[in-house]
Amino acid sequence: MTDIPLVLRNQKALVVGVANSDSIAYGCAKAFHAAGADIALTYVNEKTRGYVAPLAEELDAAIFRLLDVTANGQLEALFDEIRERWGRLDILVHSIAFAPKEDLQGGLLNCSAEGFAKAMDVSCHSFIRMAKLAAPLMSEGGTMFAMTYLGANCVVPNYNVMGPVKAALEASCRYLAYELGPSGIRVHAISPGPLKTRAAGGLKDFDTLLNEAAHRAPVGELIDIMDVGYACTYLATPFARRVTGGTVYVDGGAHIVV
């Protein structure tokens, strides 16, 4: 990995959404750690723990615990531990999304009300809940990130219900940036290009999407998880102290090409 200066030395970073070594969230955590930050990681269930535990050890994660955002009390317990262990938080990464398979693959017209609500709760509203718990720990300012995708702003075939959900997430980032700005907290929606992650495996014809993205991108190739991590590292530093509320595309420029 490219050596980077310790621009996040002694910063405290919570990264939610690492499922394995291919996760965007892992790229963020790895870049933060390389830049000097202390890391807190979560895992969603016992099956996932086996994949995430070695990564937590690799990153010397001071906090490593179960977090299912749909389970009562788990989110609050996580932030209680952060308060007790660190007393503050500087960086928050929300990199989780979910929709029931039948609702995701059946097209928006066929998405059930229950499936839509589930997708919105896990993929969008959980970020708002995290922001509310994180803000009091960012008394000296901080940076929050939520992962979105191009399908929030234009139609990407087979993205279906996640398009409206990610659009809501991006709007939430803008409103949170407005509300939290006076407290010195900046909020970013990060829009990576397509990557072969576990979450992406639920999308129909995803390999076609990858090939098209590589063809469209002005840089001529796909991104990797460290590209996202490095971008977030920059945005978490004082070098980006006046940047907030926007959607930052990390896709090799593919979003500018029709």
mmCIF file of all heavy atoms in Angstrom, residues 132-177:
data_model
loop_
_atom_site.group_PDB
_atom_site.id
_atom_site.type_symbol
_atom_site.label_atom_id
_atom_site.label_comp_id
_atom_site.label_asym_id
_atom_site.label_seq_id
_atom_site.Cartn_x
_atom_site.Cartn_y
_atom_site.Cartn_z
ATOM 1 N N LYS A 132 -26.904 11.185 14.984
ATOM 2 C CA LYS A 132 -27.438 11.761 16.224
ATOM 3 C C LYS A 132 -26.622 11.318 17.431
ATOM 4 O O LYS A 132 -26.369 12.110 18.359
ATOM 5 C CB LYS A 132 -28.901 11.353 16.402
ATOM 6 C CG LYS A 132 -29.563 11.982 17.621
ATOM 7 C CD LYS A 132 -31.043 11.670 17.672
ATOM 8 C CE LYS A 132 -31.709 12.361 18.868
ATOM 9 N NZ LYS A 132 -33.170 12.094 18.901
ATOM 10 N N LEU A 133 -26.184 10.057 17.436
ATOM 11 C CA LEU A 133 -25.385 9.541 18.547
ATOM 12 C C LEU A 133 -23.933 10.017 18.463
ATOM 13 O O LEU A 133 -23.273 10.208 19.493
ATOM 14 C CB LEU A 133 -25.433 8.016 18.551
ATOM 15 C CG LEU A 133 -26.800 7.398 18.889
ATOM 16 C CD1 LEU A 133 -26.815 5.915 18.542
ATOM 17 C CD2 LEU A 133 -27.136 7.605 20.362
ATOM 18 N N ALA A 134 -23.435 10.200 17.254
ATOM 19 C CA ALA A 134 -22.034 10.592 17.070
ATOM 20 C C ALA A 134 -21.808 12.069 17.348
ATOM 21 O O ALA A 134 -20.747 12.451 17.862
ATOM 22 C CB ALA A 134 -21.578 10.261 15.645
ATOM 23 N N ALA A 135 -22.774 12.910 17.003
ATOM 24 C CA ALA A 135 -22.580 14.358 17.090
ATOM 25 C C ALA A 135 -22.121 14.829 18.478
ATOM 26 O O ALA A 135 -21.192 15.652 18.570
ATOM 27 C CB ALA A 135 -23.853 15.084 16.658
ATOM 28 N N PRO A 136 -22.720 14.335 19.586
ATOM 29 C CA PRO A 136 -22.249 14.800 20.897
ATOM 30 C C PRO A 136 -20.799 14.416 21.194
ATOM 31 O O PRO A 136 -20.147 15.053 22.022
ATOM 32 C CB PRO A 136 -23.201 14.099 21.881
ATOM 33 C CG PRO A 136 -24.408 13.779 21.081
ATOM 34 C CD PRO A 136 -23.904 13.471 19.712
ATOM 35 N N LEU A 137 -20.301 13.375 20.524
ATOM 36 C CA LEU A 137 -18.914 12.948 20.712
ATOM 37 C C LEU A 137 -17.953 13.723 19.826
ATOM 38 O O LEU A 137 -16.732 13.574 19.952
ATOM 39 C CB LEU A 137 -18.785 11.445 20.422
ATOM 40 C CG LEU A 137 -19.552 10.510 21.361
ATOM 41 C CD1 LEU A 137 -19.497 9.076 20.854
ATOM 42 C CD2 LEU A 137 -19.006 10.604 22.773
ATOM 43 N N MET A 138 -18.474 14.529 18.931
ATOM 44 C CA MET A 138 -17.659 15.349 18.032
ATOM 45 C C MET A 138 -17.695 16.805 18.495
ATOM 46 O O MET A 138 -17.960 17.722 17.727
ATOM 47 C CB MET A 138 -18.161 15.215 16.590
ATOM 48 C CG MET A 138 -17.983 13.829 16.004
ATOM 49 S SD MET A 138 -18.552 13.717 14.272
ATOM 50 C CE MET A 138 -17.931 12.095 13.814
ATOM 51 N N SER A 139 -17.404 17.011 19.759
ATOM 52 C CA SER A 139 -17.511 18.349 20.349
ATOM 53 C C SER A 139 -16.491 19.321 19.773
ATOM 54 O O SER A 139 -16.678 20.540 19.838
ATOM 55 C CB SER A 139 -17.341 18.269 21.869
ATOM 56 O OG SER A 139 -16.096 17.676 22.207
ATOM 57 N N GLU A 140 -15.416 18.787 19.213
ATOM 58 C CA GLU A 140 -14.404 19.634 18.584
ATOM 59 C C GLU A 140 -14.453 19.525 17.064
ATOM 60 O O GLU A 140 -13.501 19.873 16.371
ATOM 61 C CB GLU A 140 -13.014 19.261 19.101
ATOM 62 C CG GLU A 140 -12.866 19.481 20.598
ATOM 63 C CD GLU A 140 -11.478 19.153 21.102
ATOM 64 O OE1 GLU A 140 -10.595 18.860 20.270
ATOM 65 O OE2 GLU A 140 -11.280 19.189 22.320
ATOM 66 N N GLY A 141 -15.577 19.061 16.546
ATOM 67 C CA GLY A 141 -15.734 18.891 15.109
ATOM 68 C C GLY A 141 -15.474 17.458 14.682
ATOM 69 O O GLY A 141 -14.982 16.631 15.467
ATOM 70 N N GLY A 142 -15.819 17.154 13.456
ATOM 71 C CA GLY A 142 -15.615 15.799 12.947
ATOM 72 C C GLY A 142 -16.107 15.670 11.529
ATOM 73 O O GLY A 142 -16.555 16.648 10.910
ATOM 74 N N THR A 143 -16.042 14.456 11.016
ATOM 75 C CA THR A 143 -16.433 14.182 9.638
ATOM 76 C C THR A 143 -17.256 12.907 9.587
ATOM 77 O O THR A 143 -16.880 11.900 10.193
ATOM 78 C CB THR A 143 -15.202 14.006 8.729
ATOM 79 O OG1 THR A 143 -14.243 15.028 9.015
ATOM 80 C CG2 THR A 143 -15.595 14.101 7.261
ATOM 81 N N MET A 144 -18.374 12.967 8.873
ATOM 82 C CA MET A 144 -19.239 11.807 8.689
ATOM 83 C C MET A 144 -19.330 11.459 7.204
ATOM 84 O O MET A 144 -19.429 12.358 6.360
ATOM 85 C CB MET A 144 -20.638 12.083 9.237
ATOM 86 C CG MET A 144 -20.673 12.420 10.711
ATOM 87 S SD MET A 144 -22.381 12.706 11.274
ATOM 88 C CE MET A 144 -22.109 13.132 12.990
ATOM 89 N N PHE A 145 -19.324 10.167 6.913
ATOM 90 C CA PHE A 145 -19.399 9.685 5.544
ATOM 91 C C PHE A 145 -20.520 8.661 5.401
ATOM 92 O O PHE A 145 -20.689 7.806 6.270
ATOM 93 C CB PHE A 145 -18.093 8.990 5.129
ATOM 94 C CG PHE A 145 -16.873 9.865 5.186
ATOM 95 C CD1 PHE A 145 -16.057 9.849 6.315
ATOM 96 C CD2 PHE A 145 -16.534 10.683 4.130
ATOM 97 C CE1 PHE A 145 -14.924 10.643 6.380
ATOM 98 C CE2 PHE A 145 -15.399 11.480 4.179
ATOM 99 C CZ PHE A 145 -14.592 11.463 5.308
ATOM 100 N N ALA A 146 -21.241 8.740 4.282
ATOM 101 C CA ALA A 146 -22.226 7.712 3.926
ATOM 102 C C ALA A 146 -21.970 7.308 2.480
ATOM 103 O O ALA A 146 -21.720 8.170 1.625
ATOM 104 C CB ALA A 146 -23.647 8.232 4.096
ATOM 105 N N MET A 147 -22.038 6.011 2.202
ATOM 106 C CA MET A 147 -21.742 5.507 0.862
ATOM 107 C C MET A 147 -23.000 5.442 0.008
ATOM 108 O O MET A 147 -24.003 4.821 0.381
ATOM 109 C CB MET A 147 -21.103 4.118 0.950
ATOM 110 C CG MET A 147 -19.770 4.126 1.663
ATOM 111 S SD MET A 147 -18.540 5.121 0.822
ATOM 112 C CE MET A 147 -17.465 5.559 2.212
ATOM 113 N N THR A 148 -22.935 6.081 -1.162
ATOM 114 C CA THR A 148 -24.050 6.109 -2.095
ATOM 115 C C THR A 148 -23.599 5.532 -3.435
ATOM 116 O O THR A 148 -22.578 4.831 -3.509
ATOM 117 C CB THR A 148 -24.584 7.560 -2.222
ATOM 118 O OG1 THR A 148 -25.711 7.559 -3.108
ATOM 119 C CG2 THR A 148 -23.530 8.517 -2.730
ATOM 120 N N TYR A 149 -24.355 5.804 -4.483
ATOM 121 C CA TYR A 149 -24.010 5.274 -5.811
ATOM 122 C C TYR A 149 -24.704 6.122 -6.875
ATOM 123 O O TYR A 149 -25.709 6.791 -6.592
ATOM 124 C CB TYR A 149 -24.423 3.795 -5.933
ATOM 125 C CG TYR A 149 -24.090 3.187 -7.278
ATOM 126 C CD1 TYR A 149 -22.783 3.169 -7.742
ATOM 127 C CD2 TYR A 149 -25.088 2.661 -8.094
ATOM 128 C CE1 TYR A 149 -22.475 2.635 -8.985
ATOM 129 C CE2 TYR A 149 -24.783 2.124 -9.330
ATOM 130 C CZ TYR A 149 -23.476 2.117 -9.774
ATOM 131 O OH TYR A 149 -23.166 1.601 -11.004
ATOM 132 N N LEU A 150 -24.166 6.088 -8.074
ATOM 133 C CA LEU A 150 -24.684 6.862 -9.199
ATOM 134 C C LEU A 150 -26.175 6.653 -9.431
ATOM 135 O O LEU A 150 -26.885 7.558 -9.881
ATOM 136 C CB LEU A 150 -23.902 6.490 -10.467
ATOM 137 C CG LEU A 150 -24.262 7.224 -11.760
ATOM 138 C CD1 LEU A 150 -23.950 8.714 -11.641
ATOM 139 C CD2 LEU A 150 -23.495 6.620 -12.930
ATOM 140 N N GLY A 151 -26.681 5.462 -9.088
ATOM 141 C CA GLY A 151 -28.097 5.155 -9.275
ATOM 142 C C GLY A 151 -29.025 6.021 -8.457
ATOM 143 O O GLY A 151 -30.244 5.974 -8.638
ATOM 144 N N ALA A 152 -28.483 6.845 -7.560
ATOM 145 C CA ALA A 152 -29.304 7.795 -6.819
ATOM 146 C C ALA A 152 -29.750 8.958 -7.693
ATOM 147 O O ALA A 152 -30.771 9.593 -7.414
ATOM 148 C CB ALA A 152 -28.526 8.342 -5.618
ATOM 149 N N ASN A 153 -28.988 9.244 -8.748
ATOM 150 C CA ASN A 153 -29.226 10.445 -9.555
ATOM 151 C C ASN A 153 -29.638 10.173 -10.990
ATOM 152 O O ASN A 153 -30.111 11.070 -11.676
ATOM 153 C CB ASN A 153 -27.962 11.311 -9.550
ATOM 154 C CG ASN A 153 -27.592 11.763 -8.158
ATOM 155 O OD1 ASN A 153 -28.317 12.525 -7.545
ATOM 156 N ND2 ASN A 153 -26.480 11.275 -7.637
ATOM 157 N N CYS A 154 -29.431 8.967 -11.437
ATOM 158 C CA CYS A 154 -29.888 8.580 -12.775
ATOM 159 C C CYS A 154 -30.217 7.092 -12.741
ATOM 160 O O CYS A 154 -29.822 6.384 -11.809
ATOM 161 C CB CYS A 154 -28.838 8.893 -13.846
ATOM 162 S SG CYS A 154 -27.280 8.015 -13.628
ATOM 163 N N VAL A 155 -30.944 6.640 -13.724
ATOM 164 C CA VAL A 155 -31.383 5.245 -13.723
ATOM 165 C C VAL A 155 -30.231 4.324 -14.108
ATOM 166 O O VAL A 155 -29.635 4.465 -15.177
ATOM 167 C CB VAL A 155 -32.563 5.039 -14.683
ATOM 168 C CG1 VAL A 155 -32.909 3.548 -14.782
ATOM 169 C CG2 VAL A 155 -33.773 5.838 -14.221
ATOM 170 N N VAL A 156 -29.912 3.406 -13.229
ATOM 171 C CA VAL A 156 -28.959 2.337 -13.512
ATOM 172 C C VAL A 156 -29.766 1.049 -13.571
ATOM 173 O O VAL A 156 -30.375 0.652 -12.569
ATOM 174 C CB VAL A 156 -27.879 2.239 -12.423
ATOM 175 C CG1 VAL A 156 -26.991 1.019 -12.665
ATOM 176 C CG2 VAL A 156 -27.047 3.514 -12.376
ATOM 177 N N PRO A 157 -29.857 0.409 -14.740
ATOM 178 C CA PRO A 157 -30.664 -0.804 -14.849
ATOM 179 C C PRO A 157 -30.334 -1.820 -13.761
ATOM 180 O O PRO A 157 -29.163 -2.035 -13.432
ATOM 181 C CB PRO A 157 -30.287 -1.334 -16.248
ATOM 182 C CG PRO A 157 -29.931 -0.104 -17.017
ATOM 183 C CD PRO A 157 -29.227 0.784 -16.023
ATOM 184 N N ASN A 158 -31.377 -2.378 -13.171
ATOM 185 C CA ASN A 158 -31.300 -3.406 -12.128
ATOM 186 C C ASN A 158 -30.951 -2.872 -10.742
ATOM 187 O O ASN A 158 -30.900 -3.647 -9.788
ATOM 188 C CB ASN A 158 -30.310 -4.525 -12.505
ATOM 189 C CG ASN A 158 -30.703 -5.219 -13.792
ATOM 190 O OD1 ASN A 158 -31.864 -5.566 -13.991
ATOM 191 N ND2 ASN A 158 -29.739 -5.409 -14.680
ATOM 192 N N TYR A 159 -30.741 -1.559 -10.606
ATOM 193 C CA TYR A 159 -30.484 -1.006 -9.272
ATOM 194 C C TYR A 159 -31.792 -0.861 -8.494
ATOM 195 O O TYR A 159 -31.801 -0.873 -7.271
ATOM 196 C CB TYR A 159 -29.759 0.340 -9.396
ATOM 197 C CG TYR A 159 -29.009 0.736 -8.146
ATOM 198 C CD1 TYR A 159 -28.084 -0.123 -7.557
ATOM 199 C CD2 TYR A 159 -29.209 1.975 -7.555
ATOM 200 C CE1 TYR A 159 -27.394 0.242 -6.410
ATOM 201 C CE2 TYR A 159 -28.521 2.349 -6.414
ATOM 202 C CZ TYR A 159 -27.611 1.481 -5.850
ATOM 203 O OH TYR A 159 -26.929 1.854 -4.711
ATOM 204 N N ASN A 160 -32.875 -0.659 -9.221
ATOM 205 C CA ASN A 160 -34.238 -0.767 -8.689
ATOM 206 C C ASN A 160 -34.463 0.049 -7.413
ATOM 207 O O ASN A 160 -34.179 1.242 -7.391
ATOM 208 C CB ASN A 160 -34.588 -2.245 -8.496
ATOM 209 C CG ASN A 160 -34.489 -3.021 -9.806
ATOM 210 O OD1 ASN A 160 -34.610 -2.451 -10.891
ATOM 211 N ND2 ASN A 160 -34.273 -4.316 -9.721
ATOM 212 N N VAL A 161 -34.976 -0.567 -6.347
ATOM 213 C CA VAL A 161 -35.383 0.170 -5.151
ATOM 214 C C VAL A 161 -34.228 0.931 -4.510
ATOM 215 O O VAL A 161 -34.428 1.962 -3.860
ATOM 216 C CB VAL A 161 -36.018 -0.787 -4.114
ATOM 217 C CG1 VAL A 161 -35.006 -1.812 -3.605
ATOM 218 C CG2 VAL A 161 -36.597 -0.003 -2.944
ATOM 219 N N MET A 162 -32.992 0.473 -4.725
ATOM 220 C CA MET A 162 -31.873 1.155 -4.093
ATOM 221 C C MET A 162 -31.641 2.538 -4.674
ATOM 222 O O MET A 162 -31.026 3.387 -4.016
ATOM 223 C CB MET A 162 -30.604 0.313 -4.210
ATOM 224 C CG MET A 162 -30.637 -0.966 -3.392
ATOM 225 S SD MET A 162 -31.095 -0.732 -1.636
ATOM 226 C CE MET A 162 -29.784 0.349 -1.089
ATOM 227 N N GLY A 163 -32.139 2.807 -5.885
ATOM 228 C CA GLY A 163 -32.014 4.146 -6.451
ATOM 229 C C GLY A 163 -32.721 5.197 -5.606
ATOM 230 O O GLY A 163 -32.095 6.163 -5.138
ATOM 231 N N PRO A 164 -34.036 5.052 -5.372
ATOM 232 C CA PRO A 164 -34.726 5.993 -4.493
ATOM 233 C C PRO A 164 -34.156 6.030 -3.075
ATOM 234 O O PRO A 164 -34.104 7.095 -2.446
ATOM 235 C CB PRO A 164 -36.174 5.474 -4.492
ATOM 236 C CG PRO A 164 -36.315 4.726 -5.765
ATOM 237 C CD PRO A 164 -34.975 4.115 -6.034
ATOM 238 N N VAL A 165 -33.735 4.886 -2.570
ATOM 239 C CA VAL A 165 -33.195 4.847 -1.205
ATOM 240 C C VAL A 165 -31.886 5.634 -1.114
ATOM 241 O O VAL A 165 -31.667 6.417 -0.181
ATOM 242 C CB VAL A 165 -32.996 3.387 -0.752
ATOM 243 C CG1 VAL A 165 -32.184 3.319 0.545
ATOM 244 C CG2 VAL A 165 -34.344 2.704 -0.555
ATOM 245 N N LYS A 166 -31.001 5.449 -2.095
ATOM 246 C CA LYS A 166 -29.747 6.191 -2.080
ATOM 247 C C LYS A 166 -29.971 7.679 -2.354
ATOM 248 O O LYS A 166 -29.217 8.536 -1.845
ATOM 249 C CB LYS A 166 -28.772 5.608 -3.103
ATOM 250 C CG LYS A 166 -28.251 4.221 -2.749
ATOM 251 C CD LYS A 166 -27.350 4.237 -1.522
ATOM 252 C CE LYS A 166 -26.660 2.891 -1.328
ATOM 253 N NZ LYS A 166 -25.769 2.866 -0.154
ATOM 254 N N ALA A 167 -30.989 8.016 -3.134
ATOM 255 C CA ALA A 167 -31.328 9.431 -3.322
ATOM 256 C C ALA A 167 -31.721 10.055 -1.985
ATOM 257 O O ALA A 167 -31.333 11.194 -1.664
ATOM 258 C CB ALA A 167 -32.457 9.569 -4.339
ATOM 259 N N ALA A 168 -32.485 9.308 -1.189
ATOM 260 C CA ALA A 168 -32.857 9.791 0.145
ATOM 261 C C ALA A 168 -31.624 9.929 1.035
ATOM 262 O O ALA A 168 -31.523 10.873 1.835
ATOM 263 C CB ALA A 168 -33.868 8.842 0.778
ATOM 264 N N LEU A 169 -30.689 9.004 0.897
ATOM 265 C CA LEU A 169 -29.460 9.070 1.686
ATOM 266 C C LEU A 169 -28.656 10.319 1.329
ATOM 267 O O LEU A 169 -28.148 11.014 2.224
ATOM 268 C CB LEU A 169 -28.624 7.808 1.461
ATOM 269 C CG LEU A 169 -27.292 7.741 2.206
ATOM 270 C CD1 LEU A 169 -27.512 7.723 3.716
ATOM 271 C CD2 LEU A 169 -26.492 6.515 1.771
ATOM 272 N N GLU A 170 -28.542 10.621 0.050
ATOM 273 C CA GLU A 170 -27.800 11.813 -0.362
ATOM 274 C C GLU A 170 -28.482 13.083 0.151
ATOM 275 O O GLU A 170 -27.813 14.019 0.612
ATOM 276 C CB GLU A 170 -27.646 11.852 -1.881
ATOM 277 C CG GLU A 170 -26.722 10.777 -2.415
ATOM 278 C CD GLU A 170 -26.407 10.935 -3.894
ATOM 279 O OE1 GLU A 170 -26.724 12.001 -4.466
ATOM 280 O OE2 GLU A 170 -25.836 9.988 -4.478
ATOM 281 N N ALA A 171 -29.809 13.126 0.076
ATOM 282 C CA ALA A 171 -30.537 14.280 0.610
ATOM 283 C C ALA A 171 -30.324 14.391 2.120
ATOM 284 O O ALA A 171 -30.165 15.494 2.661
ATOM 285 C CB ALA A 171 -32.021 14.172 0.290
ATOM 286 N N SER A 172 -30.303 13.258 2.804
ATOM 287 C CA SER A 172 -30.059 13.261 4.243
ATOM 288 C C SER A 172 -28.687 13.834 4.558
ATOM 289 O O SER A 172 -28.525 14.582 5.540
ATOM 290 C CB SER A 172 -30.174 11.844 4.805
ATOM 291 O OG SER A 172 -31.481 11.323 4.623
ATOM 292 N N CYS A 173 -27.682 13.495 3.756
ATOM 293 C CA CYS A 173 -26.336 14.043 3.963
ATOM 294 C C CYS A 173 -26.347 15.563 3.843
ATOM 295 O O CYS A 173 -25.688 16.265 4.624
ATOM 296 C CB CYS A 173 -25.353 13.442 2.960
ATOM 297 S SG CYS A 173 -24.930 11.710 3.283
ATOM 298 N N ARG A 174 -27.082 16.082 2.876
ATOM 299 C CA ARG A 174 -27.140 17.533 2.708
ATOM 300 C C ARG A 174 -27.787 18.204 3.925
ATOM 301 O O ARG A 174 -27.287 19.214 4.441
ATOM 302 C CB ARG A 174 -27.901 17.888 1.428
ATOM 303 C CG ARG A 174 -27.170 17.494 0.161
ATOM 304 C CD ARG A 174 -27.825 18.070 -1.070
ATOM 305 N NE ARG A 174 -29.100 17.449 -1.391
ATOM 306 C CZ ARG A 174 -29.235 16.366 -2.161
ATOM 307 N NH1 ARG A 174 -28.167 15.768 -2.665
ATOM 308 N NH2 ARG A 174 -30.439 15.878 -2.423
ATOM 309 N N TYR A 175 -28.897 17.646 4.384
ATOM 310 C CA TYR A 175 -29.592 18.243 5.528
ATOM 311 C C TYR A 175 -28.788 18.102 6.814
ATOM 312 O O TYR A 175 -28.770 19.014 7.653
ATOM 313 C CB TYR A 175 -30.992 17.648 5.671
ATOM 314 C CG TYR A 175 -31.984 18.308 4.749
ATOM 315 C CD1 TYR A 175 -32.135 17.883 3.436
ATOM 316 C CD2 TYR A 175 -32.747 19.390 5.185
ATOM 317 C CE1 TYR A 175 -33.025 18.509 2.574
ATOM 318 C CE2 TYR A 175 -33.647 20.024 4.335
ATOM 319 C CZ TYR A 175 -33.781 19.579 3.029
ATOM 320 O OH TYR A 175 -34.664 20.205 2.181
ATOM 321 N N LEU A 176 -28.101 16.964 6.983
ATOM 322 C CA LEU A 176 -27.259 16.801 8.162
ATOM 323 C C LEU A 176 -26.073 17.754 8.111
ATOM 324 O O LEU A 176 -25.663 18.312 9.147
ATOM 325 C CB LEU A 176 -26.771 15.354 8.268
ATOM 326 C CG LEU A 176 -27.834 14.324 8.656
ATOM 327 C CD1 LEU A 176 -27.268 12.910 8.545
ATOM 328 C CD2 LEU A 176 -28.370 14.571 10.071
ATOM 329 N N ALA A 177 -25.511 17.969 6.922
ATOM 330 C CA ALA A 177 -24.414 18.928 6.787
ATOM 331 C C ALA A 177 -24.867 20.316 7.207
ATOM 332 O O ALA A 177 -24.131 21.063 7.874
ATOM 333 C CB ALA A 177 -23.907 18.944 5.348
#
